[in-house]
Amino acid sequence: MEIYVWRSRVKNKWTRFIIVGTLLGMTQVVWGNHLDTAQAATSKPSSQIKTTLKTLSNLPVVKLTSKSSVKLTDVNLLKQDEGKLLTYTLTYTNNDQRSLQLVDYWTKVRSKGGTVYTSKLLAQDAEKKSVAGGSSLSVTYVTTVGKNVELSSLNFEIVKWDFSKANYESILGKINIPASYNVATPVNKPKKVRINGVPVNVKVQSLQTFSASDKSDYASIKINLHNVGYKGLENAGVKWVLVTKGGSSYPLNINANDSTYSLQPQESKSINYITTVPKKVKLDGAELIMVQENETEKSVIPLATMQLPKSSSMKNTEIKAGKVHTITLDDNKGKMATNVEEVSVSQTHGVNYYSVNFKIKNVGSREVTVPKYEFSVQNNKGKDFPLVTKALDTLKLKPDEERLIRLTFSLPYDEAEGTMKLVMNTPKVEGAEDKEIKFSYPAGTYILPKASSMQQSVGAESTLQLQNGKLSVTWETIQRLPWDNADVLSARVTLRNISTNTIKLPELKGMLSVDSADIPDTQLLMSESSALLGPGMSVDLHLLTTLPTSLDVAQLQVALNEVVGESSSELIRLTHIGQLPAIPRVKLGDNYAINNSGRKSEVKVKRTLVYPGTSSDIVYTELEVKNAEDRQIDLAKLTGYYETKTGEYYKTTVKQIDYPAGPGNSALVTMWSKIPRSIVVSDMSLLVGQTVGGQSTEKETTTSGKGYVDAVSFELKPDQESPLDKIKNFNIYPYTVETKDFKAVLSGGSTVNVSWKYDVSRNNDLNLPENEHKLILQIIEPTGKVFNKEIVLDKDLKEGNNQTLSWTLDDIVFNDRRSGAYTVALYDEFQGQRIKIATQAMGFVPAVGNLPESVPNPPEESL
């Protein structure tokens, strides 16, 4: 619809015509002399009184010649600031065989008090000079009369030029409209009007009122236009004013869809108009005036006056929950079936969050443009809460096409009690010059069904209707985990296609809310790069943000929004109140399954070691990660924290392979951290989760994580094996070493030649990251002096049998040494701290020819 403000397009110092409505700040347009229906006087009971309606057709004609006459066929009166603008139409009938020359005749309007009002032809009739024989011709005159003049006090004089008279005029007759006559076109009768030269039959079809606010009502008038001419009518430019019996006027506003309507020959079209009137104003006996701006006359000209039917009060139709409401678009441009499918609610501190699934389907036979309806919610107290959606901004529907619109809103607890209604209002239309004037009325009012609760949603399955199918939505986990100097808050939501067809997911945006405060920097991570889900397929979404470690959280919410262009609309909101679920614990020796589609794997703790130090120990854990897929994959990158029994966390350094693992293959992941010696390691657990960040959990590396998700807590039991008492056979993962011979040969001087013969085999069951362990071999001579040999694994320790590693010790302590014992000790060194593997006492081997025969050689301890 569109609201118009009427004003003259051409101004001069003599004439200016403005129509101002009470509501719109316009000058009142008043139809003068509102005449009651004449009743025949009778003494019969009122039930037997006959009513006779007299109109202009009952007025007598004025004879011009013996075979020609003229009659008054139309009168319209428009009230203005300066007076009343009067238009009247005279119809000349010529039954002679020759033409009747209109130049011989004229007309005047004279009041009963003698005041003469000069009339002139409208410009559109100025060229009508004669009436052909055997025909009729209508011409319209315009004049201005006094403000208080009534039609019944006016005489319409028919004048013939007569030069034999002193004033050259001969009055042929006078026409007076009695007060009992009704000059307006009766209800249900068409009125023929020429609009821009095109003959159009106009008929008022209905007058309906319904509530607009506590103080005003909408008045909706449907007018039918039928082009009875032979050429089309484009941009009619006519406007309408509703005039009450008391004289108040209210300009009507055309529906926006019809604001530039056209009318082809013989075409009929119904146009809807609307205005607002105060509730206290009665519309019984109201009339409708058609007006049109006339550039030539520099005024607004009334074209027709029509009676309005008795108004019918139209209550806003309330559609029961689950029922379909069919809407016929203006001028039968299409039909749409609408209904509310389901409503869900989640709660936060003092506020309910609602999501309404509203469906629109084109049930017509041609494509329709859906009007930009505006929605609001009414509670049981009668309060109205506007909603915001852009889903209808550019929506077009082909026949049988339907669209699901998701509407979201929030209400305080005390406003959300009882039954609520969703109101779909017609688009608001602004006035041409007053942008504050807007009109809208309900196209449908839908009683909302009882909302399904989304409280305590973790682990519960909900359904989500999309345009092309239905999803189940499950909030699988919510975790608050240590992360550097803050906490990472993560939620995993699984979407599963429960339709029988493939679904294309919309572009999604996630939002985490803490105690009703939305966190705008929430990351949404999707486990799949494809947005297509076949029947039964699922995808995991991770929502991620960080929180201050000191922030207490009583309530959490997860919201998924559909992104369309630069805007988004909420699809679903889930709520959890109270303490967060505990982190899942994995018992010693058990596996933790990573079930990400396409990246399934199993994780278990292989062993935990403690490398003692002076002020802190290094706690070191090896994890075995197995590829559970049937193809080569990049294993999930892991983050780990050691957690003490008292809730303290120590972030680990993580090493893992940076290349894919084959089907069924396993890889070693190492995690370690320095822990104060005062902490009992056996009481600790290892928190392990999948490192995430960026756009997808598939694209992470060991250094680009922004957090981690799906964490579990592994039970730990540090290895406490005692050192071996021989160096013959020992393990330093992934190697198994068997010593064949170990000799420390004295030279007789300051050097000792050490020779170690061994066999080495490597365990290749696991793909290993870079090895950071070293084998430290110590020789401790009797004075306590220690000599270290650093053996770099994968470099100095050679695989195979009969390998030999030789080196020389040079120290003054060996001068003149002829024999004696020493101790060999083996250590696993990691980050500078050591665990003893084995220790064994052995004897030096004297240099050949250097030992006195009187000094026996001590026996070498057997390997």
Side-chain angles (χ1 to χ4, degrees), residues 615-629:
S615 59
S616 62
D617 297 335
I618 290 178
V619 180
Y620 168 90
T621 299
E622 292 176 345
L623 301 171
E624 182 179 337
V625 183
K626 181 180 179 180
N627 175 9
E629 297 283 354

Side-chain angles (χ1 to χ4, degrees), residues 519-783:
I519 304 176
D521 62 348
T522 301
Q523 298 179 68
L524 177 67
L525 310 172
M526 187 177 296
S527 62
E528 295 287 342
S529 57
S530 173
L532 293 177
L533 287 183
M537 290 180 61
S538 62
V539 63
D540 286 336
L541 308 177
H542 285 92
L543 289 82
L544 199 71
T545 191
T546 55
L547 299 177
T549 57
S550 58
L551 179 65
D552 292 328
V553 177
Q555 185 181 76
L556 289 172
Q557 289 186 319
V558 166
L560 295 179
N561 298 325
E562 179 181 4
V563 179
V564 180
E566 296 182 356
S567 62
S568 64
S569 60
E570 189 169 289
L571 295 176
I572 193 169
R573 182 179 287 260
L574 308 172
T575 301
H576 175 77
I577 299 175
Q579 290 187 337
L580 300 183
I583 302 297
R585 291 188 66 83
V586 181
K587 292 183 179 180
L588 196 66
D590 287 352
N591 290 344
Y592 156 52
I594 297 177
N595 291 317
N596 292 351
S597 178
R599 302 182 67 191
K600 294 180 180 178
S601 54
E602 297 175 352
V603 183
K604 68 177 180 180
V605 172
K606 182 176 175 61
R607 63 172 179 164
T608 297
L609 304 173
V610 178
Y611 292 83
T614 304
S615 59
S616 62
D617 297 335
I618 290 178
V619 180
Y620 168 90
T621 299
E622 292 176 345
L623 301 171
E624 182 179 337
V625 183
K626 181 180 179 180
N627 175 9
E629 297 283 354
D630 59 1
R631 66 195 66 195
Q632 191 179 54
I633 63 170
D634 289 320
L635 298 174
K637 304 305 178 183
L638 302 180
T639 293
Y641 276 83
Y642 286 113
E643 181 182 6
T644 69
K645 191 174 184 179
T646 57
E648 297 170 328
Y649 294 96
Y650 296 89
K651 189 173 184 179
T652 65
T653 299
V654 182
K655 284 286 186 180
Q656 60 189 111
I657 62 172
D658 57 1
Y659 52 88
N665 288 356
S666 296
L668 190 73
V669 177
T670 64
M671 297 184 178
W672 66 274
S673 184
K674 287 191 175 184
I675 308 295
R677 300 207 67 181
S678 59
I679 293 176
V680 180
V681 177
S682 58
D683 291 337
M684 291 171 53
S685 58
L686 179 60
L687 199 63
V688 177
Q690 302 172 60
T691 309
V692 293
Q695 297 300 313
S696 170
T697 54
E698 295 182 350
K699 299 178 181 179
E700 303 314 314
T701 68
T702 54
T703 59
S704 68
K706 294 184 179 180
Y708 60 112
V709 298
D710 295 342
V712 295
S713 180
F714 284 99
E715 184 181 348
L716 297 180
K717 183 179 180 181
D719 289 359
Q720 295 179 339
E721 295 182 3
S722 300
L724 301 173
D725 58 2
K726 294 183 182 296
I727 66 169
K728 182 171 178 60
N729 296 298
F730 65 90
N731 295 314
I732 180 168
Y733 194 81
Y735 298 102
T736 298
V737 183
E738 180 182 356
T739 300
K740 295 296 187 180
D741 186 27
F742 192 93
K743 291 182 179 180
V745 182
L746 296 170
S747 64
S750 62
T751 61
V752 175
N753 296 314
V754 182
S755 175
W756 182 25
K757 293 183 179 180
Y758 58 87
D759 295 342
V760 171
S761 62
R762 179 187 172 106
N763 185 337
N764 293 313
D765 292 343
L766 301 180
N767 296 302
L768 304 179
E770 179 185 357
N771 199 327
E772 297 180 290
H773 294 262
K774 297 175 183 177
L775 178 64
I776 304 299
L777 189 151
Q778 284 186 349
I779 295 179
I780 308 165
E781 62 90 36
T783 65

Side-chain angles (χ1 to χ4, degrees), residues 223-249:
I223 302 171
N224 181 264
L225 303 177
H226 181 204
N227 185 349
V228 295
Y230 296 97
K231 65 178 181 178
L233 177 65
E234 300 288 341
N235 300 323
V238 295
K239 303 170 181 67
W240 295 88
V241 180
L242 185 156
V243 182
T244 68
K245 192 172 183 178
S248 299
S249 61

